[in-house]
Amino acid sequence: MLLESLEFLLTPTTPLARKYGFLYSSISLRHRYQRQKKSWLPHLKNCQDVFLETARSLPQRKSVVVMGSAHLHEIPLHLLMDNFDQVTLVDVIHPLKHHLQSKRYSRLKLVTLDLTTALDKLQDLNSLEDLNNLAKKLAGEQLFHFEADLIVSANLLSQLALLPLDAVEKKIKRNLELSEKDVICTQFAETHLKNLKACTGTKLIYSDREVIYRDKNGEVIYTGHYPVNFAGYQKLKEWNWMLAPLKEASKDYSIEMKIEAYKS
Ligand SMILES: C[S@@+](CC[C@H](N)C(=O)[O-])C[C@H]1O[C@@H](n2cnc3c(N)ncnc32)[C@H](O)[C@@H]1O
C-alpha cells in the first residue's frame, strides 16, 4: 500500500494524463497483469513471436519505436534492448520504472504524447456531432511521425476512441448506441493506421479486433467488433487472449479478445 502510494506520487505525469485518469489505469493494468499472468501467457508469447519474427526480417536493427508501450508486458524491455541499439517508448503515461531505466540507459528514450491529439479538445465537445466533426478533422492531419527500423503499435488501436466517447456520453448524459460508437472507433483506428503507414520504417501492429463474453458454461453471450480497413497491411497472425477469466471482471462471465497482427 505504501509502495503504491509512493508510485502514485512519484510517477511523472502530464496534467492531461492526470485529468483523464491514465495514472490510475496504468497502475491497475499492472495489478491485473500480476493477477492474470498465467492466463495471459499465450497472448504474451504470441506478441513476442510476431515482434521477433518481424525484427529478424529487417535489413538492419538500429532503432525501434513502441507506441502504447505501457508496462511492456507484451514485448519486454530486454527483448527490445537485445535486438535494437536505440529504443523509444511512446505513451501518454510511462510507469515509474521506465523513467528510472531511461535515466540509467542512454539507449532508452521516453516520449510522452497523446497519439490522437484529441485529449486536450475533449472539454469543448458538447455533442456526438462535435466528436464526429473532430474525428473527421483529425483524419486529415498528421498526428505523429516516427522514423525507425521498426515501429510497433502495441495493443493501442482499440483504446484511442475510449476517452473521447466517454467525454461525450458524460456531456450528453446518455449512453451512445453501439452503432454510434462504432463509427467513431473506426475513424480513430483508421486515422492511427494512416499515420502509422506514413512513418518511415517497417510497421508492426497488433490489436484486439473482437471481444467475446462467455457465461459460466462457456456459452457465448455477447460479441463486439467494429470495422477497420487494414488496406496496405499484411496480416501476420491472429489469436485469442483470455483477458478476464470468470471472476476477474465478473462472476457471471469471462472476457476474451481476438487479437490480429499486421505488418507493413
Ligand atoms: C492496453 S495498453 C498497451 C499494453 C502494452 N503494449 C503492454 O505491453 O503492456 C494501452 C496503452 O495505450 C496508452 N494510450 C491510450 N490512449 C493513448 C493516446 N491517446 N496516446 C498515447 N497512448 C495512449 C495507454 O496509456 C496504455 O498504456
Side-chain angles (χ1 to χ4, degrees):
M1 201 62 194
L2 181 66
L3 280 179
E4 272 170 28
S5 309
L6 276 176
E7 187 180 2
F8 214 84
L9 285 173
L10 296 179
T11 305
T13 55
T14 59
L16 213 56
R18 273 198 190 271
K19 180 171 175 187
Y20 290 110
F22 279 98
L23 177 55
Y24 177 80
S25 310
S26 167
I27 294 175
S28 27
L29 178 62
R30 186 165 52 75
H31 283 280
R32 210 174 319 136
Y33 165 78
Q34 291 299 346
R35 287 193 302 275
Q36 296 304 331
K37 220 181 329 196
K38 217 164 137 197
S39 44
W40 288 14
L41 266 179
H43 162 67
L44 303 177
K45 164 109 179 33
N46 276 309
C47 296
Q48 287 162 32
D49 286 351
V50 287
F51 165 72
L52 285 172
E53 276 160 31
T54 310
R56 283 173 191 148
S57 72
L58 300 174
Q60 66 167 24
R61 292 199 294 263
K62 287 195 174 148
S63 52
V64 62
V65 172
V66 182
M67 295 189 281
S69 46
H71 297 272
L72 291 177
H73 292 143
E74 293 153 353
I75 309 173
L77 185 60
H78 70 86
L79 276 191
L80 295 168
M81 300 290 265
D82 286 354
N83 282 282
F84 291 88
D85 298 338
Q86 292 294 329
V87 175
T88 303
L89 307 180
V90 186
D91 205 298
V92 80
I93 186 159
H94 296 281
L96 182 58
K97 90 177 167 200
H98 289 167
H99 283 278
L100 299 175
Q101 280 159 328
S102 71
K103 289 197 169 49
R104 186 162 162 213
Y105 305 113
S106 58
R107 297 198 291 125
L108 175 63
K109 186 177 152 206
L110 304 188
V111 174
T112 304
L113 188 68
D114 165 19
L115 288 156
T116 63
T117 73
L119 294 181
D120 66 356
K121 302 172 185 80
L122 298 188
Q123 70 275 12
D124 302 329
L125 300 178
N126 292 310
S127 63
L128 179 60
E129 195 191 350
D130 284 352
L131 178 55
N132 270 310
N133 288 338
L134 175 65
K136 280 192 200 123
K137 180 176 164 289
L138 296 178
E141 294 179 8
Q142 186 189 75
L143 307 182
F144 58 84
H145 183 77
F146 295 103
E147 297 187 6
D149 294 311
L150 180 62
I151 301 154
V152 186
S153 172
N155 223 344
L156 165 73
L157 196 68
S158 66
Q159 311 283 304
L160 299 170
L162 296 183
L163 282 172
L165 288 169
D166 195 46
V168 165
E169 285 190 327
K170 280 192 182 126
K171 198 56 95 53
I172 65 177
K173 297 191 174 62
R174 76 164 171 93
N175 291 334
L176 294 169
E177 302 290 331
L178 278 179
S179 56
E180 293 172 322
K181 289 186 179 183
D182 284 355
V183 173
I184 300 288
C185 289
T186 302
Q187 182 87 78
F188 272 79
E190 291 186 348
T191 299
H192 182 76
L193 286 184
K194 195 179 109 192
N195 278 268
L196 178 61
K197 194 100 206 306
C199 289
T200 309
T202 297
K203 297 92 178 175
L204 169 66
I205 175 161
Y206 56 86
S207 172
D208 54 288
R209 293 293 304 119
E210 192 176 318
V211 61
I212 305 140
Y213 285 62
R214 290 178 198 275
D215 68 13
K216 290 176 193 165
N217 304 317
E219 296 294 325
V220 175
I221 49 174
Y222 172 78
T223 59
H225 169 91
Y226 57 90
V228 175
N229 186 349
F230 281 87
Y233 286 83
Q234 173 203 348
K235 189 163 183 183
L236 296 178
K237 197 170 180 175
E238 64 176 52
W239 64 88
N240 276 17
W241 172 22
M242 179 49 80
L243 177 73
L246 209 60
K247 296 189 183 148
E248 168 66 23
S250 161
K251 62 179 177 35
D252 297 322
Y253 56 81
S254 63
I255 309 173
E256 213 171 320
M257 300 282 198
K258 185 173 136 207
I259 308 288
E260 292 177 357
Y262 293 83
K263 181 180 165 178
S264 156

